[in-house]
Amino acid sequence: MSESDESSTMTTEVKVSEDIPKDSKEGGEKHSAIVASHYNKIEDRGLVARKKSNIYFLRNFNNWIKSVTIDKYTGLVKQRFTLGSPFRVLDMCCGKGGDLIKWSNASVTHLICTDIALVSLEQCENRFKSMYHRDYQRKPKVEFFAADATLQQLRTKYHDPSTKLHLVSCQFAFHYSFESFKQADCMLKNAAECLEEGFYFIGTIPDANEIMKRQRIAMSDTFGNDIYNIQFLCDTDNPPLFGAKYNFQLDEVVNCPEFLVHFPTLEKLALRHGLRLVEKKRFEELFDVHGRNKQGLLEKMQALEAYPPPHGRFNGNEQRKEPEQYQHVEEYARQQSSHYPPRVGTLSQKEWEAATLYLFFAFKKMKTSYDANGMPVYS
């Protein structure tokens, strides 16, 4: 659903209901500790080391996806402001601060960064300090604190618990909450509780439908390629709504248990907290929509690699290219009338397979009123 589709549904009233099955084991402290430990151990290796990674362009592409979606929704937020108005953002599961520059570019005036991994959070805070080392005038008000957003109420940890937010962002992390109903409900409450009416909760998650589709095609509970691997740890014939566990490996970056997000259940759960879906797009759809008008950003962020590479079968990092991974480019070149094969921006087939595991979502906080029993009614 696009932003222009909203007017036809704005009058719909939604009462909080209890029709979502709570069919999973509660708890989650143990798994949360595993996730925190995993991300705490990942070193910030610096740009030189990242350029040598097998997923250098994949990571840049995913970052480009975040950039164009964050730019869209920060733009929608600022359209409602008068000049000089405060702009408050919660970066939930902020990690090492990969989106700090995006918040700076959006002129956020108050930023709350929280993550379960204390080491990552400390790196995020250090990155923030280095960004504004001498630029005091543009420095936003900022809060950093460690918390498990799937088990703890974040609002109680804010400097001002009455803070009203204009945007909540949760990138590549929300799916951890689908270990149980309790955790998913808690995380959505954290996203919605302080969000002002008419503003947005955005995020990126693995697409459960695509993952299950690939499992069916592979006819195995383990599948992937050289850079990513998925191994199911639950019943794939009848996966539960919560607790559908699998182990996900992504090159040298991720090796951690995750959970499928059944999106219709997420939508229902979001409505309980006054959040209505306004956009849901897979990463390849976002590339189709924004690839042309954000081509300059694609190039600036090196979100695609040049093929054929400038140095024969090597790129600038002396990593040998695998021709079979670029057959789509070779086919494109054959269709051109030019005597010389064009150099195009692309991803290897295995990187594209990993990128297209994900989708983007955006929810909007609905208007809240209360019925005679004091229960919230959203419209």
Side-chain angles (χ1 to χ4, degrees):
M1 181 186 295
S2 66
E3 195 67 22
S4 60
D5 297 326
E6 292 187 39
S7 58
S8 63
T9 58
M10 282 298 289
T11 57
T12 303
E13 289 194 351
V14 180
K15 285 195 175 186
V16 172
S17 64
E18 299 293 337
D19 61 346
I20 300 174
K22 307 174 182 63
D23 59 349
S24 61
K25 296 178 182 179
E26 298 299 350
E29 291 86 352
K30 183 178 179 181
H31 184 261
S32 295
I34 293 171
V35 173
S37 175
H38 167 71
Y39 284 102
N40 277 330
K41 290 176 182 176
I42 297 177
E43 297 180 7
D44 191 350
R45 299 184 298 168
L47 182 60
V48 174
R50 288 200 299 272
K51 282 188 173 181
K52 295 180 181 179
S53 168
N54 292 323
I55 58 169
Y56 174 70
F57 294 104
L58 170 64
R59 295 181 73 176
N60 291 348
F61 180 81
N62 288 346
N63 198 30
W64 177 82
I65 292 285
K66 289 195 296 177
S67 292
V68 297
T69 51
I70 286 174
D71 180 67
K72 174 181 177 178
Y73 282 90
T74 55
L76 289 173
V77 168
K78 289 192 289 185
Q79 284 178 10
R80 303 192 45 195
F81 288 161
T82 56
L83 188 64
S85 297
F87 184 1
R88 294 180 289 270
V89 169
L90 167 62
D91 192 342
M92 188 162 57
C93 310
C94 64
K96 295 176 172 62
D99 295 331
L100 287 175
I101 293 177
K102 301 175 185 67
W103 306 132
S104 176
N105 291 339
S107 301
V108 169
T109 62
H110 184 176
L111 178 63
I112 301 174
C113 293
T114 181
D115 197 89
I116 192 174
L118 183 58
V119 174
S120 294
L121 190 68
E122 290 171 349
Q123 292 173 339
C124 178
E125 186 169 3
N126 290 334
R127 181 178 293 187
F128 176 85
K129 290 176 180 176
S130 66
M131 282 176 57
Y132 294 98
H133 179 58
R134 295 183 178 178
D135 192 1
Y136 296 104
Q137 290 185 336
R138 294 181 62 244
K139 184 178 180 180
K141 179 180 178 182
V142 66
E143 303 176 37
F144 297 95
F145 61 86
D148 184 346
T150 75
L151 296 171
Q152 298 171 279
Q153 187 179 26
L154 300 184
R155 180 173 63 83
T156 61
K157 299 178 179 295
Y158 298 167
H159 292 166
D160 177 4
S162 67
T163 294
K164 292 294 184 182
L165 302 169
H166 304 111
L167 187 70
V168 176
S169 174
C170 183
Q171 304 295 332
F172 296 98
F174 183 83
H175 49 287
Y176 292 116
S177 73
F178 256 63
E179 180 179 5
S180 69
F181 167 84
K182 175 183 176 182
Q183 289 168 273
D185 189 63
C186 179
M187 202 161 192
L188 279 166
K189 180 178 181 179
N190 281 324
E193 190 171 30
C194 295
L195 195 59
E196 283 201 33
E197 294 172 0
F199 291 97
Y200 302 97
F201 168 45
I202 64 174
T204 46
I205 56 173
D207 182 353
N209 285 341
E210 179 64 21
I211 291 173
M212 293 305 301
K213 174 184 170 183
R214 295 188 192 187
Q215 186 271 334
R216 299 287 190 262
I217 292 173
M219 294 188 290
S220 171
D221 288 351
T222 302
F223 57 93
N225 59 35
D226 289 348
I227 64 171
Y228 90 91
N229 181 268
I230 289 175
Q231 179 183 13
F232 270 97
L233 305 172
C234 68
D235 181 3
T236 53
D237 291 328
N238 187 28
L241 291 180
F242 300 96
K245 189 175 182 179
Y246 60 93
N247 197 71
F248 181 68
Q249 290 181 288
L250 179 63
D251 202 57
E252 303 170 357
V253 180
V254 181
N255 185 2
C256 199
E258 299 184 353
F259 301 92
L260 294 178
V261 176
H262 183 250
F263 208 88
T265 299
L266 170 58
E267 282 191 73
K268 288 182 180 180
L269 197 54
L271 285 172
R272 290 165 49 93
H273 298 281
L275 296 171
R276 180 171 54 83
L277 184 69
V278 294
E279 184 175 0
K280 174 192 173 189
K281 284 188 174 70
R282 291 169 47 79
F283 277 19
E284 60 264 44
E285 293 178 282
L286 290 167
F287 179 68
D288 289 342
V289 171
H290 299 287
R292 288 188 179 274
N293 63 333
K294 295 291 186 180
Q295 184 174 356
L297 188 63
L298 272 170
E299 295 172 359
K300 181 180 179 181
M301 298 180 70
Q302 298 184 56
L304 299 175
E305 68 171 311
Y307 192 91
H311 307 292
R313 291 293 179 188
F314 296 83
N315 64 12
N317 305 313
E318 301 303 313
Q319 292 175 324
R320 185 172 297 277
K321 300 282 98 176
E322 303 170 35
E324 66 275 10
Q325 289 294 317
Y326 299 88
Q327 290 179 355
H328 55 293
V329 184
E330 304 282 0
E331 178 60 31
Y332 173 79
R334 283 193 290 270
Q335 295 173 5
Q336 306 306 304
S337 58
S338 172
H339 294 293
Y340 300 97
R343 180 168 289 133
V344 300
T346 189
L347 290 179
S348 66
Q349 185 62 39
K350 57 189 176 185
E351 285 180 292
W352 185 247
E353 287 176 8
T356 52
L357 283 169
Y358 295 93
L359 62 81
F360 166 81
F361 63 76
F363 291 89
K364 190 172 186 178
K365 183 69 176 289
M366 295 185 289
K367 184 177 180 180
T368 309
S369 59
Y370 294 87
D371 64 17
N373 297 317
M375 297 298 293
V377 179
Y378 302 109
S379 60

